Amino acid sequence: MPFDANDVDDVRKNSRIPDFPVEPLFIERWSPRAYDGVFQLSETDLMTMLEAARWAPSCYNIQPWRFLYAFRGDRHWDDYLSLLDPFNAGWAAQASALVIVLSDKMMPGDETHPAKPSGYHSFDTGAAWAQMALQATALGYQAHAMAGIFHDQIAEKLQVPKQYQVEIAVALGKRADPAVLPQELQEREEPSQRYGLQEIAFSGLFPTEALR
Ligand SMILES: Cc1cc2nc3c(=O)[nH]c(=O)nc-3n(C[C@H](O)[C@H](O)[C@H](O)COP(=O)(O)O)c2cc1C
């Protein structure tokens, strides 16, 4: 059967089998590199994904996440693409939107407490990215996080104030047939597996035999 980007089974279903029953969305979200380079993502759908991110929990409800975005073909697109490393730019050029995820390194102060550095801005912003990605999958898209980006250039070119840390970029779009990718990437276009739960979760003390 040829790949059909409009068939939710093709977009989301994969070979992953959870050890315990979870909401299907958790295993249907994955990070493809084959995107439909013609499909135009609507602003409404992007806002829905960012809305999901917005409702993430955060330390003291500080909400340190910030998002910058460009749609493929808009006036910022070429700049955004140039801020990805060449490997990522190669496949992400076909995505429908790029989102740069930032986090506020400072906890805001008030009348009684001065502003101070936050220890949880990246942790909280990771939760927001995950919610965005799951919402993308729920809408029939996929989101692919990228740390392979030019962090300093992003800060400079996109006028990010020093208080914010450039975390990742995210490629968003509709999955395409892996055949659109070069051969070596086609072979990697497969949802990855995970450690067993018994390798990552322990009752009580950290078991020495679990040390990697
Ligand atoms: C913070 C972060 C950075 C990542 N950076 C890249 C990247 O630069 N390039 C890339 O192709 N994939 C990148 N990935 C995708 C991971 O390789 C992928 O999430 C991981 O292998 C698990 O696979 P899955 O997302 O398909 O479940 C990144 C993922 C995360 C969460």
Side-chain angles (χ1 to χ4, degrees), residues 16 29-31 33 87-88 91 129 144-148 168 192 194:
R16 292 165 159 176
R29 182 221 57 81
W30 66 287
S31 305
R33 296 191 180 89
F87 170 76
N88 285 326
W91 57 265
W129 128 256
H144 192 141
M146 294 170 282
I168 55 163
S192 52
R194 293 295 187 267

Side-chain angles (χ1 to χ4, degrees), residues 1 36 41 53 56 68 75 105:
M1 285 281 280
D36 181 336
L41 184 69
L68 303 173
R75 68 195 176 94
K105 293 182 278 186

Side-chain angles (χ1 to χ4, degrees), residues 18-187:
D19 289 344
F20 289 84
V22 291
E23 290 297 322
L25 202 54
F26 293 109
I27 52 170
E28 290 172 359
R29 182 221 57 81
W30 66 287
S31 305
R33 296 191 180 89
Y35 284 97
D36 181 336
V38 175
F39 177 76
Q40 297 283 341
L41 184 69
S42 72
E43 188 158 5
T44 312
D45 281 352
L46 178 61
M47 291 306 127
T48 299
M49 296 175 218
L50 296 177
E51 179 71 16
R54 178 177 164 237
W55 288 101
S58 63
C59 188
Y60 290 111
N61 198 21
I62 281 168
Q63 308 163 58
W65 42 77
R66 299 290 182 275
F67 306 99
L68 303 173
Y69 58 87
F71 290 98
R72 194 185 59 250
D74 77 9
R75 68 195 176 94
H76 298 297
W77 180 254
D78 289 343
D79 277 350
Y80 271 52
L81 213 50
S82 74
L83 297 167
L84 310 182
D85 73 19
F87 170 76
N88 285 326
W91 57 265
Q94 305 306 314
S96 298
L98 288 169
V99 177
I100 306 288
V101 181
L102 312 171
S103 70
D104 188 344
K105 293 182 278 186
M106 298 299 288
M107 288 175 74
D110 56 27
E111 307 81 47
T112 49
H113 301 89
K116 61 174 189 179
S118 160
Y120 295 95
H121 57 96
S122 284
F123 183 86
D124 291 343
T125 302
W129 128 256
Q131 294 200 181
M132 172 171 71
L134 290 166
Q135 182 65 61
T137 305
L139 290 172
Y141 308 117
Q142 289 290 9
H144 192 141
M146 294 170 282
I149 56 178
F150 300 124
H151 292 79
D152 293 346
Q153 288 181 36
I154 289 175
E156 193 188 323
K157 214 163 196 169
L158 305 185
Q159 301 176 4
V160 177
K162 287 217 171 331
Q163 183 176 328
Y164 294 89
Q165 182 163 311
V166 175
E167 299 282 358
I168 55 163
V170 180
L172 288 165
K174 228 181 213 323
R175 262 196 80 202
D177 192 319
V180 302
L181 292 170
Q183 189 62 39
E184 69 275 14
L185 287 186
Q186 284 183 35
E187 285 154 19

